[in-house]
Amino acid sequence: MKSTLPIFAIFAATSIFAQQIDSTNQDAKNSGDFSANTPEMVRTPRITNQGQNQYQNQNQYQNQNQYQNQNQYQNQNYNNNGVDGANGNGLNPQSNMRDNGQYGKNYANQKPEKSEFQSFIQYATGKKLTQFGSDFFSNTPSSFAPLQNTPLPSDYVLGAGDEVMIRAWGSVDIDYKATVDRNGVINIPTIGSVALAGVKAGEADAVIKSSIGKLYRDVAVSVTFGRLRAITVYVVGQAKKPGSYTVSGFSTLVTALLASGGPNPNGSMRNVQVKRDGKMVGSLDMYAFIAKGDKSHDVKLQDGDTIFIPAAAGHIALVGKVNTPAIYELKSANESLGSILEIAGGLPVVADPRRAFLERIDPSKSQPRSVEEFNLNKVGLSKTLKDGDMLTVSSITPEFSNAVTLRGNVSQQLRVPFTPGMHVRDLIPSRDMLVTRSSITRQNLEGRDLKDYKDPADNTEGRDIPKDGLNISADDNLYGDKIKKQNANSIASKIGSAVDEVNWEYASVERVDRDTLNVSLVSFNLGKAMADVNSPENIALQPGDTVTIFSQDDIQVPLAKRKVFVRVEGEVNVPGVYQMSPGETLPSLIAKAGGTTSNAYLFGTEFYREQVRKEQQANLEKAIRRLESQMRSENAKAAANDSGGQDAATITAKLKAAQKSSAQAIAKMHELKATGRISFGLAANDESFDKLPTLKLENGDQLVIPSRPDFVHVFGAVNQESSMIWRRGGTVDKYLEDAGPTSEADMDNIFVLRANGTVLSATGRGWFSSVKSSELMPGDSIVVPERLNKESAYKTFTNGLKDWAQILSGFGISAAAIKSLRQ
């Protein structure tokens, strides 16, 4: 029996082998699967456990056969714990969880833990510092699904559970999928067992080809990999999420730490250990990886490995001017300051290495905190740090040691280096440096099409010309399709403003005494300094001096020292803009303009001044605010008193109408602009221009002498608002008879806007004096207000208009402007 049993076994194996060959050949014959260039009767052996159409569509094979259902694969093989087949990022703790997506979501919503040392630093500095490297673990994926179709590293070591797909062609046709069993081998029909445990992925082709080559010659082999085995590792110690994790077979320590959340605030990032069979097989300093990208000490994990995170040896804080302020872990008890600063990225250029402050804690003392100051030189960087230290690096003082500054009314503010013997003329070599940028802009833009203008120094889009440039209203679109042409008025207003006038009499040097920190101001005559280099006014400068040049608008100079450009137009022989000497008056201006013409209308002469306009505008805005307050008060009183016999809806509608009327009236009032007109108070019978006051002229003044108009204007509560022909001796009564007052006209409060800029009203007139009997002059305007008891949308506004007519006239508001308020 002992001798016949082996012979019987060999016979049985041979019989089974023959049956497999016949079966394979029969399948190949039925499917027409023969090798190319092979005679019909000579069949190539075929070994396969795949479908007949395996090679028809490789992508279909990969998508349908290899990964038919990812969720099914996860549920059947990994208990819903995702495995990353590419880089080992797919990690899931098996303890206390089944739904990894929900676990990740809950963890992501947790607030980051804070150590006691972090709380102490926040108390001491008021700043929240994070632990260096904690951000690396802050973006842990909320779900861990395996990646597909990713390449396998060539140094991956095959083991039990790995799936191998073998394809061979030549003298034998093989399409076979096998899984490495617990003994580390795969079994290929007709080929036999092939040991793959411990073989690297890059060497699998050669090993399998060697086994096939023992039976077949001239065979090409290709080996790929399907599902890979999963291994279990344990994360323990000071871990943020301790537990067991199912990971892919080629995961490393870094990827396992990343997915497990890393250390907790007390855990070490600088001594993470991997233990295998009770021995430490490797350790990793995560700082070397995070700060320098050094992954050379990363450990490839095996089934059953334990990742142990010990407690940190200590922590220190870097605050102030360092590239990465944070809490840093000490790798050992004798770590130097220089090594920590290297991890932090060093110091920025604005840090002052001469002043560093180290605060240290000694719990054994009654006053445990102390501080020392030192220099961050070679000796300072070699200083040994201790647990609880806090290093503060000061910032440099941004002060120039050798600069002289020029500012103010200059073309360009400068900061230049001081040179020995430097004077004001060295800083300002020519008067050209005192022409401001705004002056140059105004000169450059004269006569140009402005729609494409953009200041090269301005990076904003759609900007307006600054107010010190061209005088363009806000309604003009600088970049629109059409630009309004400059009218004669705007052109004339710019004459004399080509440059900003310099104050030649006064400039200053601000100087700081470094010994006493006292500030002194040295003034000098800029005009004399620029005229003569040897003048005493060309004072010597010192390092740190600030030279300020003023314009005549910055510090107003006496009128006698200012240039005066005045405009005169209308009924003069030579209208234009004239430069006047300081102290000259209106009569001298008219004389320069060649005198008046025969059509000149003295009573209607208009005189405008910019300073007066500004004051009028400010007072007008105050008056409108008071009127607005009165209107709100009147509306409130009406709401409180208006009740008898009317339902709530009617009362509400009336109140809303009154409020709307008030709002519209105030909006129109806000549109009023003061003109700056000064009334001369000329009498109606004055016809000689010698009666004009001897008013001293100022820069920007404007004199308008109109021709005698032929009309008197009537508007307000009249049947026909119109302009009527002026008749000598005509009174207000006669013009009102022609205009026809309405039944709601308030005849007791009529007022007249005179052509000379004054207002004629019933206020302040005697019992026997009436506006109606006043004789009118050409250009006068009669305003007829409505009665206050008239229930209309203009009731509140008409009340305000009547009471404020006298005030409005003081702002230079014309009759046309007041008339527009009612439209």
Side-chain angles (χ1 to χ4, degrees):
M1 291 295 295
K2 293 182 179 179
S3 60
T4 59
L5 182 58
I7 297 173
F8 178 77
I10 292 172
F11 176 77
T14 305
S15 176
I16 293 173
F17 176 75
Q19 292 176 5
Q20 291 176 342
I21 293 296
D22 291 341
S23 176
T24 301
N25 292 338
Q26 184 64 32
D27 291 340
K29 181 178 179 180
N30 293 336
S31 61
D33 188 4
F34 296 98
S35 300
N37 302 323
T38 303
E40 182 177 353
M41 298 304 296
V42 181
R43 299 174 181 173
T44 301
R46 178 174 175 79
I47 304 171
T48 181
N49 59 0
Q50 304 300 309
Q52 295 179 358
N53 298 326
Q54 181 69 23
Y55 290 106
Q56 292 181 1
N57 192 324
Q58 182 176 355
N59 292 330
Q60 180 180 355
Y61 162 76
Q62 292 177 347
N63 294 330
Q64 295 181 357
N65 296 332
Q66 183 177 359
Y67 296 109
Q68 289 182 355
N69 190 316
Q70 178 179 342
N71 293 330
Q72 180 181 357
Y73 166 75
Q74 293 176 348
N75 294 331
Q76 292 179 356
N77 296 282
Y78 296 101
N79 293 326
N80 201 26
N81 294 320
V83 178
D84 188 339
N87 52 19
N89 287 339
L91 296 153
N92 284 322
Q94 292 179 339
S95 59
N96 302 325
M97 64 161 290
R98 286 298 177 188
D99 186 351
N100 54 33
Q102 185 64 35
Y103 182 93
K105 183 184 298 183
N106 293 338
Y107 175 72
N109 293 331
Q110 293 179 0
K111 293 183 178 180
E113 300 179 33
K114 188 164 59 174
S115 67
E116 291 294 331
F117 184 61
Q118 282 179 285
S119 300
F120 172 77
I121 295 299
Q122 183 176 353
Y123 162 78
T125 65
K127 299 178 180 179
K128 296 181 180 180
L129 295 183
T130 60
Q131 287 192 341
F132 180 78
S134 61
D135 292 343
F136 182 75
F137 301 102
S138 62
N139 295 323
T140 304
S142 59
S143 62
F144 307 100
L147 301 178
Q148 302 180 16
N149 302 328
T150 53
L152 186 67
S154 60
D155 58 350
Y156 173 73
V157 179
L158 299 176
D162 289 335
E163 187 179 68
V164 182
M165 293 178 289
I166 305 167
R167 297 181 180 86
W169 58 94
S171 58
V172 63
D173 189 3
I174 301 176
D175 182 12
Y176 195 78
K177 181 189 296 184
T179 302
V180 180
D181 61 19
R182 67 182 58 190
N183 296 321
V185 300
I186 60 173
N187 293 292
I188 306 175
T190 73
I191 304 300
S193 298
V194 181
L196 290 181
V199 176
K200 294 182 178 180
E203 301 172 354
D205 285 23
V207 172
I208 294 176
K209 183 176 181 180
S210 176
S211 299
I212 296 175
K214 295 177 181 179
L215 298 178
Y216 299 97
R217 302 175 61 183
D218 301 327
V219 177
V221 178
S222 173
V223 177
T224 57
F225 302 93
R227 298 170 185 153
L228 303 176
R229 72 182 186 276
I231 63 174
T232 299
V233 297
Y234 305 92
V235 181
V236 297
Q238 299 293 327
K240 192 171 292 184
K241 296 186 295 180
S244 62
Y245 288 80
T246 300
V247 301
S248 63
F250 54 95
S251 295
T252 66
L253 175 56
V254 170
T255 56
L257 281 176
L258 176 63
S260 63
N264 63 27
N266 298 316
S268 174
M269 290 189 196
R270 310 202 63 183
N271 188 26
V272 184
Q273 303 171 9
V274 177
K275 296 186 177 182
R276 187 177 299 154
D277 298 329
K279 298 180 180 180
M280 187 176 73
V281 296
S283 64
L284 175 65
D285 182 357
M286 285 294 295
Y287 277 18
F289 172 56
I290 295 174
K292 303 177 183 179
D294 182 7
K295 203 167 177 281
S296 59
H297 293 284
D298 197 8
V299 180
K300 292 187 177 181
L301 301 177
Q302 295 184 13
D303 190 41
D305 282 353
T306 298
I307 300 175
F308 172 65
I309 303 178
H315 291 93
I316 64 100
L318 293 184
V319 296
K321 292 302 177 181
V322 292
N323 280 328
T324 312
I327 305 292
Y328 289 85
E329 178 187 342
L330 296 176
K331 189 172 184 179
S332 62
N334 58 353
E335 186 157 14
S336 67
L337 172 58
S339 62
I340 294 295
L341 282 177
E342 183 181 1
I343 294 172
L347 301 177
V349 68
V350 295
D352 187 357
R354 300 169 301 173
R355 301 192 68 191
F357 302 90
L358 183 65
E359 298 183 23
R360 180 157 289 176
I361 299 175
D362 188 351
S364 62
K365 297 181 180 179
S366 59
Q367 293 180 319
R369 298 179 66 187
S370 62
V371 62
E372 61 176 306
E373 180 180 358
F374 58 93
N375 195 322
L376 291 179
N377 52 20
K378 185 176 181 180
V379 176
L381 293 176
S382 63
K383 184 179 289 290
T384 301
L385 298 176
K386 294 183 179 181
D387 185 21
D389 284 352
M390 181 175 70
L391 179 72
T392 303
V393 181
S394 299
S395 172
I396 62 171
T397 301
E399 184 179 21
F400 288 91
S401 60
N402 66 336
V404 175
T405 303
L406 175 65
R407 68 180 183 181
N409 195 86
V410 293
S411 62
Q412 185 172 0
Q413 301 197 30
L414 299 174
R415 184 179 290 113
V416 300
F418 171 80
T419 57
M422 190 174 188
H423 290 71
V424 169
R425 281 295 303 272
D426 298 317
L427 182 64
I428 312 174
S430 68
R431 295 175 184 259
D432 292 339
M433 294 188 65
L434 304 180
V435 180
T436 63
R437 285 294 182 94
S438 58
S439 299
I440 296 174
T441 300
R442 289 195 297 270
Q443 296 172 22
N444 291 343
L445 293 180
E446 289 298 334
R448 285 186 52 190
D449 186 358
L450 303 180
K451 66 179 180 180
D452 297 323
Y453 170 75
K454 187 177 186 300
D455 190 345
D458 187 3
N459 293 324
T460 59
E461 294 294 335
R463 62 182 289 276
D464 290 335
I465 295 291
K467 64 180 181 180
D468 57 352
L470 290 179
N471 185 17
I472 298 178
S473 68
D475 295 333
D476 290 334
N477 181 5
L478 188 61
Y479 299 97
D481 294 334
K482 291 185 178 180
I483 303 298
K484 295 182 179 179
K485 293 184 178 180
Q486 304 174 40
N487 56 35
N489 184 62
S490 63
I491 294 175
S493 65
K494 291 193 291 292
I495 294 179
S497 61
V499 295
D500 297 323
E501 291 293 333
V502 179
N503 186 342
W504 296 105
E505 304 294 328
Y506 177 83
S508 67
V509 176
E510 191 175 1
R511 182 170 293 164
V512 179
D513 187 340
R514 296 300 171 188
D515 296 329
T516 62
L517 295 184
N518 289 330
V519 179
S520 60
L521 194 66
V522 182
S523 61
F524 63 96
N525 188 300
L526 178 61
K528 293 181 179 180
M530 298 302 296
D532 185 5
V533 176
N534 299 320
S535 171
E537 301 297 327
N538 185 22
I539 61 176
L541 300 178
Q542 297 180 9
D545 281 354
T546 299
V547 179
T548 305
I549 308 300
F550 298 93
S551 71
Q552 293 186 3
D553 291 328
D554 296 330
I555 299 179
Q556 291 191 6
V557 299
L559 288 177
K561 296 182 180 181
R562 298 179 67 93
K563 290 184 178 180
V564 179
F565 292 90
V566 182
R567 180 166 37 146
V568 58
E569 52 189 301
E571 293 301 322
V572 291
N573 289 312
V574 188
V577 178
Y578 292 91
Q579 182 173 357
M580 308 298 293
S581 299
E584 287 193 278
T585 61
L586 281 173
S588 59
L589 173 62
I590 295 176
K592 257 189 181 179
T596 60
T597 67
S598 58
N599 295 323
Y601 183 39
L602 175 62
F603 186 73
T605 299
E606 304 170 12
F607 184 77
Y608 301 92
R609 177 164 289 176
E610 177 62 20
Q611 184 61 35
V612 174
R613 186 198 65 79
K614 293 179 181 179
E615 295 171 358
Q616 288 177 347
Q617 186 64 38
N619 293 331
L620 176 61
E621 292 173 358
K622 291 179 183 178
I624 293 174
R625 286 195 294 268
R626 291 198 299 270
L627 180 59
E628 188 175 9
S629 178
Q630 289 181 7
M631 287 185 174
R632 285 197 299 265
S633 178
E634 291 295 330
N635 288 335
K637 290 179 182 179
N641 299 330
D642 199 354
S643 59
Q646 295 182 344
D647 57 14
T650 302
I651 295 174
T652 302
K654 291 178 63 177
L655 291 177
K656 287 184 177 180
Q659 292 172 357
K660 183 178 180 181
S661 173
S662 299
Q664 290 175 345
I666 292 298
K668 289 185 177 181
M669 294 287 285
H670 279 295
E671 295 176 0
L672 294 177
K673 300 298 179 183
T675 62
R677 181 178 180 180
I678 299 175
S679 175
F680 292 148
L682 297 174
N685 57 358
D686 289 337
E687 296 184 359
S688 174
F689 278 87
D690 294 336
K691 300 292 185 178
L692 287 177
T694 56
L695 183 67
K696 291 183 179 180
L697 299 174
E698 294 183 7
N699 188 46
D701 284 350
Q702 180 183 2
L703 177 65
V704 179
I705 303 177
S707 60
R708 182 185 298 271
D710 296 325
F711 301 97
V712 170
H713 311 286
V714 182
F715 62 90
V718 293
N719 291 321
Q720 183 178 3
E721 294 184 335
S722 62
S723 296
M724 302 181 183
I725 296 176
W726 175 78
R727 298 185 297 271
R728 185 179 298 275
T731 62
V732 173
D733 262 342
K734 293 181 179 180
Y735 288 103
L736 287 178
E737 288 178 5
D738 294 337
T742 64
S743 58
E744 286 80 18
D746 187 355
M747 302 301 293
D748 295 331
N749 290 289
I750 295 172
F751 61 93
V752 178
L753 294 176
R754 307 303 302 268
N756 65 352
T758 61
V759 173
L760 183 65
S761 67
T763 305
R765 300 181 69 87
W767 288 96
F768 302 101
S769 177
S770 172
V771 174
K772 299 178 183 178
S773 61
S774 300
E775 182 179 346
L776 297 182
M777 294 293 292
D780 287 349
S781 298
I782 304 172
V783 181
V784 183
E786 296 172 338
R787 286 204 305 269
L788 298 181
N789 60 357
K790 178 178 181 291
E791 294 292 339
S792 70
Y794 295 102
K795 174 181 177 180
T796 305
F797 172 63
T798 306
N799 182 16
L801 179 61
K802 181 181 78 95
D803 295 340
W804 289 79
Q806 184 70 32
I807 299 176
L808 290 175
S809 65
F811 304 131
I813 305 300
S814 65
I818 294 180
K819 181 180 178 181
S820 68
L821 296 177
R822 302 185 67 259
Q823 295 176 352

